[in-house]
Amino acid sequence: MKVAKEEITAEVQQLVETELRKGASNSRIANLLDLPYKEAVDIIETIKEDLRPDVGDEIIFSFRDEPMEGVIEKLLTNSAIVRINWNHSSERMHDLVEEKTVVNFKDIEGFKNQVDEE
């Protein structure tokens, strides 16, 4: 079930985008929105489809079904140039993928927590 975009307020949009970039779980976002989990996930998925990442975001994506992570260095129209973090990516891809690669926004599976916790 998709949530109509007009049902999502600017405040909810901003909260969900911020939490997704921090790497928050769906259950945490549902709690912050004070909504049932299933309803919150529908909203999260709707917002995720339109979420445009920022330069410096650490993202999680897959390449040939292998888990990959990297940092966005440059934004393009519907994709980003990403520097691969080989410490958190599949070593099997090392021979196939350069230090930087292009990742379509639709292929971004999530955002790593970017807040430095002390």
Side-chain angles (χ1 to χ4, degrees):
M1 175 181 133
K2 293 285 181 195
V3 177
K5 288 182 183 179
E6 50 275 354
E7 292 179 22
I8 299 173
T9 66
E11 183 180 351
V12 168
Q13 175 100 16
Q14 184 175 6
L15 173 78
V16 172
E17 285 183 9
T18 300
E19 292 301 315
L20 286 171
R21 284 194 173 92
K22 288 181 179 178
S25 66
N26 287 351
S27 58
R28 172 169 167 67
I29 295 171
N31 189 37
L32 291 171
L33 293 173
D34 196 25
L35 292 172
Y37 181 79
K38 189 171 182 166
E39 190 177 329
V41 168
D42 289 339
I43 290 172
I44 292 165
E45 291 303 315
T46 300
I47 291 172
K48 226 186 236 187
E49 287 177 8
D50 297 327
L51 179 61
R52 184 172 171 85
D54 290 325
V55 171
D57 282 350
E58 288 185 66
I59 62 168
I60 300 167
F61 62 100
S62 291
F63 181 72
R64 296 188 180 179
D65 294 326
E66 294 291 331
M68 304 288 287
E69 291 184 13
V71 177
I72 295 176
E73 291 193 340
K74 182 177 182 179
L75 294 174
L76 306 173
T77 305
N78 292 313
S79 58
I81 305 293
V82 177
R83 177 173 295 281
I84 305 297
N85 178 345
W86 288 111
N87 293 330
H88 295 100
S89 297
S90 174
E91 287 187 32
R92 294 177 3 149
M93 294 293 106
H94 209 0
D95 292 334
L96 295 173
V97 181
E98 298 289 328
E99 291 300 310
K100 294 181 185 179
T101 192
V102 176
V103 177
N104 288 318
F105 292 160
K106 65 181 178 63
D107 294 329
I108 296 174
E109 296 172 1
F111 294 87
K112 294 281 292 181
N113 187 349
Q114 294 184 312
V115 177
D116 292 331
E117 296 180 33
E118 297 177 16

